[in-house]
Amino acid sequence: MNHTALQILLAAVVALPLIGALAALFPAPPGLRGKNPDQAVLRHGVTVTGAVLAAAIALAAGFDHAHPARMQATTDISWIPALDIRIHLGVDGISLPLVVMTALLTFLCALYSYFHMPTGPSPKAFVALLLVLEAGTLATFAVLDLMLFFLAFEMVLIPMYFLIARWGGAGRQAAAWKFILYTLLGSVVMLLGLLLIGVKSGTFDMVALATDNGPKAQLSHTVQLLAVLAVGIGLAVKSPLWPLHSWLPDAHTAAPTVGSVLLAGVLLKMGTYGFVRIALPLTPEGMHTFAPYLAALAAVGIVYGSLSCLALVRKGAKGDLKRLIAYSSVGHMGFVLLGIASMTPTGVNGALFANIAHGLITGLLFFMVGALKDRFGSTDLDTLAGSTGAALYGKAPRFGGLLAFGAVASLGLPGLAGFWGEMLAMFGAFRPADGLSRPAFLTFMALAGLGTLLTAAYLLLVVRRVCMGGTPHLAATAPLGAGDPPGDDPATPGRAADRAPAIPDLARYEYAAWSPLAALTVLAGLWPAALLGLSDPAVQQLLGGGK
């Protein structure tokens, strides 16, 4: 595909959601209203996100896969000449998979919402916010100017705040405020770091700054240290890096289903992508100094997230399944940050692969937990595991089987997408970049390995408790007394557990929204070269100073 066509496709991917968000606020034409205005605007959301997904797939198909390290589909237009800020867009093997995954997840969220709109205000505002959120995330992965990156990075905060605050569940106001305050404070510090890089180097162009013999040469060691510290704090909040993660469980627990899917599947990736696109190539000396500290916090986050999940899943803890998956994200993103901190091609490739795997798998899990709450009225693990609980294998076997699939994919079962990213991240820590302490990184690798064992433990417990249900009492232990009515004994056919309402199995729209995530999880697990072949040349060039 020629360069102009690719340019148009990438511009369409970024601009169509904004145009669609504006159009969603106007009344639908008479011929497109359907049964009611709400249905029309929800169908509009599906149509726009579907068009964006089609453009993203066409962009991926036309991408020159023989040269994934080269920026392609580039647009470079002067925007604010006085500050040398340009509308500079482009994708390479690092950003292209994230663009396609973002378009896919947003389309699936719009499709799911068409059939199951979350309780809240007008669907018109919901669709408009969803499209603005998509525009911001796609722009974050496509822009090549530091100031545009910051604007796109911030663009997603307001729509996500309102999605949580207006369409969320219990505690949504406090969770939304916590989300916006944490991320805004981190962003203010990040802006100072980006300005420092731009002022000291004389340009905000990320491509020019990534080359060793370019403007980056103007950045002294002290400037790089200050820039990495400032930029890293903002990126670490969004990643989320322990101990800056505390906004995440509350936001996930309160958010509507599609909000949780996009928060885990897309927004968290913006922080880790920033580390790869900005911190590693633009300030390598500063990153080298702070890498051991980043790796240490990442390793602690892996273990902390797993232990928190184990505490939530134990019997009697009244743990929330949605909150548990949120804490699991802290651990999984710890592997991504550990791979980045190794500063090796192996580790960074593992981090990028784990980004995609986490988006697919955790997006699927949040979809399913949201649907489980709609069916059962609760995501409390003790309630779901009680004698009258979910017991999905018996009551909704296809639902239970897919939930178990998501759980084993999340724990990193070989042959599924979750395995490769975590393994490569630990390989990167096994032999970190020159100058980094190998004994320290071996310790971090050991902690990450412990985290994988703990992850397997809590996810298998989730499957055991939710899919298999509670353990019934034996008849021999409690014979019927004279005053006991027939059917009330736990072992008799008429017991309360058997009278519990049936749980609907997977609906057609759920198959449509979730099957692509499951299929891609298997495909990425069996054919990792599809992603690694794209990212590795680009990572090699990025770490090699543009060579």
mmCIF file of all heavy atoms in Angstrom, residues 444-477:
data_model
loop_
_atom_site.group_PDB
_atom_site.id
_atom_site.type_symbol
_atom_site.label_atom_id
_atom_site.label_comp_id
_atom_site.label_asym_id
_atom_site.label_seq_id
_atom_site.Cartn_x
_atom_site.Cartn_y
_atom_site.Cartn_z
ATOM 1 N N PHE A 444 15.255 -9.916 41.597
ATOM 2 C CA PHE A 444 13.954 -9.469 41.081
ATOM 3 C C PHE A 444 13.299 -10.566 40.236
ATOM 4 O O PHE A 444 12.077 -10.756 40.297
ATOM 5 C CB PHE A 444 14.131 -8.200 40.245
ATOM 6 C CG PHE A 444 14.820 -7.072 40.957
ATOM 7 C CD1 PHE A 444 15.640 -6.181 40.274
ATOM 8 C CD2 PHE A 444 14.669 -6.911 42.327
ATOM 9 C CE1 PHE A 444 16.275 -5.147 40.924
ATOM 10 C CE2 PHE A 444 15.305 -5.866 43.001
ATOM 11 C CZ PHE A 444 16.119 -4.992 42.298
ATOM 12 N N MET A 445 14.107 -11.297 39.473
ATOM 13 C CA MET A 445 13.574 -12.394 38.669
ATOM 14 C C MET A 445 13.000 -13.483 39.563
ATOM 15 O O MET A 445 11.931 -14.053 39.278
ATOM 16 C CB MET A 445 14.661 -12.968 37.771
ATOM 17 C CG MET A 445 14.178 -14.042 36.808
ATOM 18 S SD MET A 445 15.512 -14.980 36.041
ATOM 19 C CE MET A 445 16.058 -15.976 37.422
ATOM 20 N N ALA A 446 13.693 -13.778 40.687
ATOM 21 C CA ALA A 446 13.205 -14.790 41.620
ATOM 22 C C ALA A 446 11.875 -14.361 42.234
ATOM 23 O O ALA A 446 10.951 -15.178 42.401
ATOM 24 C CB ALA A 446 14.247 -15.044 42.702
ATOM 25 N N LEU A 447 11.764 -13.075 42.576
ATOM 26 C CA LEU A 447 10.497 -12.575 43.115
ATOM 27 C C LEU A 447 9.384 -12.678 42.075
ATOM 28 O O LEU A 447 8.246 -13.023 42.400
ATOM 29 C CB LEU A 447 10.661 -11.127 43.571
ATOM 30 C CG LEU A 447 11.493 -10.898 44.835
ATOM 31 C CD1 LEU A 447 11.719 -9.407 45.077
ATOM 32 C CD2 LEU A 447 10.810 -11.529 46.048
ATOM 33 N N ALA A 448 9.717 -12.378 40.823
ATOM 34 C CA ALA A 448 8.719 -12.515 39.760
ATOM 35 C C ALA A 448 8.296 -13.968 39.596
ATOM 36 O O ALA A 448 7.111 -14.266 39.385
ATOM 37 C CB ALA A 448 9.281 -11.972 38.447
ATOM 38 N N GLY A 449 9.275 -14.897 39.702
ATOM 39 C CA GLY A 449 8.930 -16.321 39.630
ATOM 40 C C GLY A 449 8.010 -16.733 40.764
ATOM 41 O O GLY A 449 7.057 -17.504 40.565
ATOM 42 N N LEU A 450 8.264 -16.214 41.973
ATOM 43 C CA LEU A 450 7.356 -16.475 43.095
ATOM 44 C C LEU A 450 5.966 -15.927 42.790
ATOM 45 O O LEU A 450 4.947 -16.563 43.102
ATOM 46 C CB LEU A 450 7.921 -15.829 44.367
ATOM 47 C CG LEU A 450 7.026 -15.861 45.604
ATOM 48 C CD1 LEU A 450 6.752 -17.295 46.049
ATOM 49 C CD2 LEU A 450 7.661 -15.050 46.749
ATOM 50 N N GLY A 451 5.941 -14.755 42.148
ATOM 51 C CA GLY A 451 4.652 -14.173 41.787
ATOM 52 C C GLY A 451 3.855 -15.049 40.842
ATOM 53 O O GLY A 451 2.628 -15.128 40.940
ATOM 54 N N THR A 452 4.540 -15.737 39.919
ATOM 55 C CA THR A 452 3.806 -16.628 39.001
ATOM 56 C C THR A 452 3.155 -17.783 39.754
ATOM 57 O O THR A 452 2.042 -18.200 39.428
ATOM 58 C CB THR A 452 4.738 -17.172 37.909
ATOM 59 O OG1 THR A 452 5.787 -17.936 38.514
ATOM 60 C CG2 THR A 452 5.343 -16.057 37.085
ATOM 61 N N LEU A 453 3.855 -18.303 40.769
ATOM 62 C CA LEU A 453 3.269 -19.389 41.577
ATOM 63 C C LEU A 453 2.060 -18.899 42.367
ATOM 64 O O LEU A 453 1.029 -19.576 42.444
ATOM 65 C CB LEU A 453 4.333 -19.954 42.524
ATOM 66 C CG LEU A 453 5.550 -20.614 41.866
ATOM 67 C CD1 LEU A 453 6.553 -21.056 42.929
ATOM 68 C CD2 LEU A 453 5.122 -21.804 41.018
ATOM 69 N N LEU A 454 2.187 -17.717 42.964
ATOM 70 C CA LEU A 454 1.077 -17.160 43.726
ATOM 71 C C LEU A 454 -0.104 -16.836 42.805
ATOM 72 O O LEU A 454 -1.269 -17.026 43.192
ATOM 73 C CB LEU A 454 1.526 -15.898 44.463
ATOM 74 C CG LEU A 454 2.613 -16.087 45.520
ATOM 75 C CD1 LEU A 454 3.066 -14.739 46.073
ATOM 76 C CD2 LEU A 454 2.107 -16.975 46.655
ATOM 77 N N THR A 455 0.190 -16.376 41.592
ATOM 78 C CA THR A 455 -0.870 -16.089 40.624
ATOM 79 C C THR A 455 -1.644 -17.350 40.277
ATOM 80 O O THR A 455 -2.881 -17.351 40.225
ATOM 81 C CB THR A 455 -0.273 -15.469 39.344
ATOM 82 O OG1 THR A 455 0.394 -14.257 39.679
ATOM 83 C CG2 THR A 455 -1.352 -15.180 38.314
ATOM 84 N N ALA A 456 -0.917 -18.440 40.042
ATOM 85 C CA ALA A 456 -1.587 -19.713 39.754
ATOM 86 C C ALA A 456 -2.463 -20.136 40.918
ATOM 87 O O ALA A 456 -3.587 -20.628 40.731
ATOM 88 C CB ALA A 456 -0.544 -20.788 39.449
ATOM 89 N N ALA A 457 -1.981 -19.908 42.144
ATOM 90 C CA ALA A 457 -2.733 -20.324 43.337
ATOM 91 C C ALA A 457 -4.067 -19.583 43.426
ATOM 92 O O ALA A 457 -5.128 -20.207 43.577
ATOM 93 C CB ALA A 457 -1.886 -20.087 44.588
ATOM 94 N N TYR A 458 -4.037 -18.250 43.315
ATOM 95 C CA TYR A 458 -5.298 -17.539 43.533
ATOM 96 C C TYR A 458 -6.266 -17.700 42.372
ATOM 97 O O TYR A 458 -7.484 -17.748 42.570
ATOM 98 C CB TYR A 458 -5.062 -16.068 43.886
ATOM 99 C CG TYR A 458 -4.603 -15.141 42.789
ATOM 100 C CD1 TYR A 458 -5.450 -14.727 41.769
ATOM 101 C CD2 TYR A 458 -3.310 -14.610 42.809
ATOM 102 C CE1 TYR A 458 -5.026 -13.857 40.786
ATOM 103 C CE2 TYR A 458 -2.882 -13.735 41.828
ATOM 104 C CZ TYR A 458 -3.740 -13.359 40.824
ATOM 105 O OH TYR A 458 -3.317 -12.492 39.853
ATOM 106 N N LEU A 459 -5.750 -17.816 41.138
ATOM 107 C CA LEU A 459 -6.667 -17.989 40.013
ATOM 108 C C LEU A 459 -7.312 -19.364 40.008
ATOM 109 O O LEU A 459 -8.493 -19.508 39.671
ATOM 110 C CB LEU A 459 -5.935 -17.726 38.699
ATOM 111 C CG LEU A 459 -5.654 -16.243 38.412
ATOM 112 C CD1 LEU A 459 -4.729 -16.076 37.225
ATOM 113 C CD2 LEU A 459 -6.965 -15.484 38.169
ATOM 114 N N LEU A 460 -6.565 -20.386 40.400
ATOM 115 C CA LEU A 460 -7.176 -21.719 40.503
ATOM 116 C C LEU A 460 -8.192 -21.767 41.632
ATOM 117 O O LEU A 460 -9.213 -22.467 41.539
ATOM 118 C CB LEU A 460 -6.082 -22.774 40.703
ATOM 119 C CG LEU A 460 -5.173 -22.997 39.482
ATOM 120 C CD1 LEU A 460 -4.051 -23.974 39.818
ATOM 121 C CD2 LEU A 460 -5.979 -23.500 38.283
ATOM 122 N N LEU A 461 -7.939 -21.016 42.697
ATOM 123 C CA LEU A 461 -8.933 -20.930 43.777
ATOM 124 C C LEU A 461 -10.195 -20.217 43.299
ATOM 125 O O LEU A 461 -11.309 -20.595 43.677
ATOM 126 C CB LEU A 461 -8.344 -20.200 44.985
ATOM 127 C CG LEU A 461 -7.394 -21.015 45.862
ATOM 128 C CD1 LEU A 461 -6.715 -20.127 46.905
ATOM 129 C CD2 LEU A 461 -8.158 -22.137 46.574
ATOM 130 N N VAL A 462 -10.035 -19.195 42.478
ATOM 131 C CA VAL A 462 -11.202 -18.520 41.913
ATOM 132 C C VAL A 462 -12.022 -19.484 41.077
ATOM 133 O O VAL A 462 -13.252 -19.559 41.203
ATOM 134 C CB VAL A 462 -10.762 -17.299 41.056
ATOM 135 C CG1 VAL A 462 -11.920 -16.800 40.189
ATOM 136 C CG2 VAL A 462 -10.263 -16.180 41.951
ATOM 137 N N VAL A 463 -11.355 -20.242 40.228
ATOM 138 C CA VAL A 463 -12.068 -21.221 39.403
ATOM 139 C C VAL A 463 -12.761 -22.254 40.285
ATOM 140 O O VAL A 463 -13.926 -22.605 40.055
ATOM 141 C CB VAL A 463 -11.087 -21.905 38.427
ATOM 142 C CG1 VAL A 463 -11.756 -23.058 37.699
ATOM 143 C CG2 VAL A 463 -10.566 -20.900 37.410
ATOM 144 N N ARG A 464 -12.049 -22.721 41.296
ATOM 145 C CA ARG A 464 -12.638 -23.719 42.199
ATOM 146 C C ARG A 464 -13.890 -23.182 42.890
ATOM 147 O O ARG A 464 -14.925 -23.854 42.944
ATOM 148 C CB ARG A 464 -11.584 -24.125 43.244
ATOM 149 C CG ARG A 464 -12.124 -24.886 44.457
ATOM 150 C CD ARG A 464 -12.651 -26.257 44.071
ATOM 151 N NE ARG A 464 -13.244 -26.927 45.203
ATOM 152 C CZ ARG A 464 -14.502 -26.764 45.611
ATOM 153 N NH1 ARG A 464 -15.303 -25.915 44.976
ATOM 154 N NH2 ARG A 464 -14.973 -27.434 46.647
ATOM 155 N N ARG A 465 -13.834 -21.965 43.386
ATOM 156 C CA ARG A 465 -14.932 -21.445 44.190
ATOM 157 C C ARG A 465 -16.105 -20.966 43.329
ATOM 158 O O ARG A 465 -17.265 -21.174 43.684
ATOM 159 C CB ARG A 465 -14.448 -20.294 45.079
ATOM 160 C CG ARG A 465 -13.342 -20.701 46.051
ATOM 161 C CD ARG A 465 -13.114 -19.639 47.107
ATOM 162 N NE ARG A 465 -14.223 -19.613 48.049
ATOM 163 C CZ ARG A 465 -14.495 -18.574 48.840
ATOM 164 N NH1 ARG A 465 -13.768 -17.484 48.771
ATOM 165 N NH2 ARG A 465 -15.509 -18.620 49.676
ATOM 166 N N VAL A 466 -15.815 -20.315 42.212
ATOM 167 C CA VAL A 466 -16.895 -19.744 41.406
ATOM 168 C C VAL A 466 -17.483 -20.763 40.441
ATOM 169 O O VAL A 466 -18.700 -20.835 40.254
ATOM 170 C CB VAL A 466 -16.386 -18.508 40.632
ATOM 171 C CG1 VAL A 466 -17.476 -17.952 39.720
ATOM 172 C CG2 VAL A 466 -15.908 -17.437 41.597
ATOM 173 N N CYS A 467 -16.639 -21.566 39.814
ATOM 174 C CA CYS A 467 -17.136 -22.499 38.803
ATOM 175 C C CYS A 467 -17.686 -23.783 39.410
ATOM 176 O O CYS A 467 -18.602 -24.387 38.855
ATOM 177 C CB CYS A 467 -16.023 -22.824 37.807
ATOM 178 S SG CYS A 467 -15.508 -21.412 36.827
ATOM 179 N N MET A 468 -17.111 -24.210 40.534
ATOM 180 C CA MET A 468 -17.574 -25.461 41.139
ATOM 181 C C MET A 468 -18.560 -25.224 42.272
ATOM 182 O O MET A 468 -19.340 -26.118 42.610
ATOM 183 C CB MET A 468 -16.380 -26.264 41.664
ATOM 184 C CG MET A 468 -15.402 -26.656 40.583
ATOM 185 S SD MET A 468 -14.013 -27.616 41.230
ATOM 186 C CE MET A 468 -12.989 -27.744 39.771
ATOM 187 N N GLY A 469 -18.536 -24.053 42.903
ATOM 188 C CA GLY A 469 -19.496 -23.749 43.955
ATOM 189 C C GLY A 469 -19.093 -24.310 45.298
ATOM 190 O O GLY A 469 -17.991 -24.818 45.493
ATOM 191 N N GLY A 470 -20.014 -24.203 46.262
ATOM 192 C CA GLY A 470 -19.763 -24.665 47.625
ATOM 193 C C GLY A 470 -19.814 -26.171 47.731
ATOM 194 O O GLY A 470 -20.336 -26.870 46.875
ATOM 195 N N THR A 471 -19.278 -26.702 48.812
ATOM 196 C CA THR A 471 -19.285 -28.146 49.063
ATOM 197 C C THR A 471 -20.530 -28.502 49.862
ATOM 198 O O THR A 471 -20.706 -28.024 50.982
ATOM 199 C CB THR A 471 -18.048 -28.577 49.862
ATOM 200 O OG1 THR A 471 -16.891 -28.150 49.145
ATOM 201 C CG2 THR A 471 -18.012 -30.078 50.054
ATOM 202 N N PRO A 472 -21.430 -29.320 49.324
ATOM 203 C CA PRO A 472 -22.663 -29.663 50.046
ATOM 204 C C PRO A 472 -22.365 -30.538 51.258
ATOM 205 O O PRO A 472 -21.380 -31.260 51.304
ATOM 206 C CB PRO A 472 -23.485 -30.416 48.998
ATOM 207 C CG PRO A 472 -22.465 -30.980 48.067
ATOM 208 C CD PRO A 472 -21.348 -29.995 48.019
ATOM 209 N N HIS A 473 -23.249 -30.445 52.260
ATOM 210 C CA HIS A 473 -23.124 -31.293 53.442
ATOM 211 C C HIS A 473 -23.555 -32.717 53.099
ATOM 212 O O HIS A 473 -24.379 -32.946 52.223
ATOM 213 C CB HIS A 473 -24.005 -30.766 54.569
ATOM 214 C CG HIS A 473 -23.626 -29.389 55.016
ATOM 215 N ND1 HIS A 473 -22.470 -29.118 55.699
ATOM 216 C CD2 HIS A 473 -24.266 -28.198 54.849
ATOM 217 C CE1 HIS A 473 -22.399 -27.822 55.955
ATOM 218 N NE2 HIS A 473 -23.485 -27.242 55.445
ATOM 219 N N LEU A 474 -22.990 -33.685 53.800
ATOM 220 C CA LEU A 474 -23.360 -35.075 53.572
ATOM 221 C C LEU A 474 -24.626 -35.411 54.349
ATOM 222 O O LEU A 474 -24.831 -34.960 55.472
ATOM 223 C CB LEU A 474 -22.224 -35.991 54.009
ATOM 224 C CG LEU A 474 -20.913 -35.823 53.230
ATOM 225 C CD1 LEU A 474 -19.841 -36.729 53.806
ATOM 226 C CD2 LEU A 474 -21.130 -36.115 51.759
ATOM 227 N N ALA A 475 -25.445 -36.244 53.770
ATOM 228 C CA ALA A 475 -26.706 -36.595 54.403
ATOM 229 C C ALA A 475 -26.487 -37.291 55.723
ATOM 230 O O ALA A 475 -27.229 -37.106 56.689
ATOM 231 C CB ALA A 475 -27.523 -37.485 53.456
ATOM 232 N N ALA A 476 -25.433 -38.118 55.796
ATOM 233 C CA ALA A 476 -25.216 -38.903 57.002
ATOM 234 C C ALA A 476 -24.883 -38.042 58.211
ATOM 235 O O ALA A 476 -25.062 -38.456 59.354
ATOM 236 C CB ALA A 476 -24.086 -39.897 56.774
ATOM 237 N N THR A 477 -24.420 -36.852 57.989
ATOM 238 C CA THR A 477 -24.005 -36.017 59.116
ATOM 239 C C THR A 477 -25.173 -35.299 59.766
ATOM 240 O O THR A 477 -25.049 -34.811 60.875
ATOM 241 C CB THR A 477 -22.990 -34.965 58.646
ATOM 242 O OG1 THR A 477 -23.622 -34.115 57.679
ATOM 243 C CG2 THR A 477 -21.776 -35.633 58.012
#
